């Protein structure tokens, strides 16, 4: 990894990480569905500005919009609502740590659902190290036993 990519990765982490704290603060006054709508709307406006800046237009084909609707629902709207709902019951730090399981589960699930993407010894070691790291981060919360609020997970 070169220095530019490392810098971009750190920049992305700086943008993404605090979002869980902001969700935790926002859901005190804003319902999770409204919060998700605002987040998606802000992102859509930002992307539209970039699209116009690049002198491109939105796709016009119906099948493209159907595919985009499925992706938007499953990758943005639903997760954003669920994070908002979950953070009404758990700490924002725990929510962000649990979100870290996403790429780990993706690697494992890809083995079964993506042709040609098989688990290699290196991937297995990476997944195990990743889960061990997440367990290490969540261990202080789990040492006191699972409370009722953990069912929000």
């Amino acid at each position: 990894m070169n220095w530019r990519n490392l810098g971009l990765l750190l920049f992305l982490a700086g943008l993404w990480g605090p979002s869980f704290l902001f969700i935790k603060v926002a859901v005190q006054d804003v319902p999770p569905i409204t919060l998700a709508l605002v987040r998606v709307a802000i992102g859509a406006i930002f992307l539209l500005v970039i699209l116009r800046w690049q002198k491109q237009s939105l796709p016009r084909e119906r099948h493209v919009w159907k595919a985009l609707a499925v992706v938007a629902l499953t990758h943005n709207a639903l997760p954003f609502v669920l994070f908002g709902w979950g953070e009404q019951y758990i700490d924002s730090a725990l929510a962000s740590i649990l979100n870290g399981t996403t790429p780990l589960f993706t690697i494992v699930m890809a083995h079964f659902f993506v042709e040609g993407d098989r688990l290699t010894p290196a991937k297995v070691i990476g997944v195990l190290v990743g889960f061990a790291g997440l367990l290490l981060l969540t261990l202080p919360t789990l040492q006191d036993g699972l409370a009722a609020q953990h069912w929000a997970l």
Side-chain angles (χ1 to χ4, degrees), residues 11 15 39-53:
F11 178 69
L15 289 176
R39 290 182 70 192
V40 171
I42 291 170
I45 291 167
F46 182 73
L47 290 174
L48 280 172
V49 167
I50 291 173
L51 197 65
R52 297 292 181 228
W53 179 65

Side-chain angles (χ1 to χ4, degrees), residues 4-78:
R4 181 181 181 275
N5 287 344
L6 181 61
L8 289 172
L9 181 62
L10 291 174
F11 178 69
L12 179 62
L15 289 176
W16 186 260
S19 67
F20 293 95
L21 175 62
F22 295 139
I23 293 169
K24 182 70 172 178
V25 171
V27 294
Q28 305 300 318
D29 298 317
V30 180
I33 292 176
T34 305
L35 181 60
L37 175 67
V38 169
R39 290 182 70 192
V40 171
I42 291 170
I45 291 167
F46 182 73
L47 290 174
L48 280 172
V49 167
I50 291 173
L51 197 65
R52 297 292 181 228
W53 179 65
Q54 293 179 343
K55 295 181 177 32
Q56 295 185 18
S57 62
L58 291 170
R60 299 200 186 277
E61 298 85 10
R62 185 180 211 92
H63 72 278
V64 172
W65 282 101
K66 286 181 182 179
L68 288 174
V70 170
V71 170
L73 179 66
T74 58
H75 291 74
N76 291 91
L78 188 60

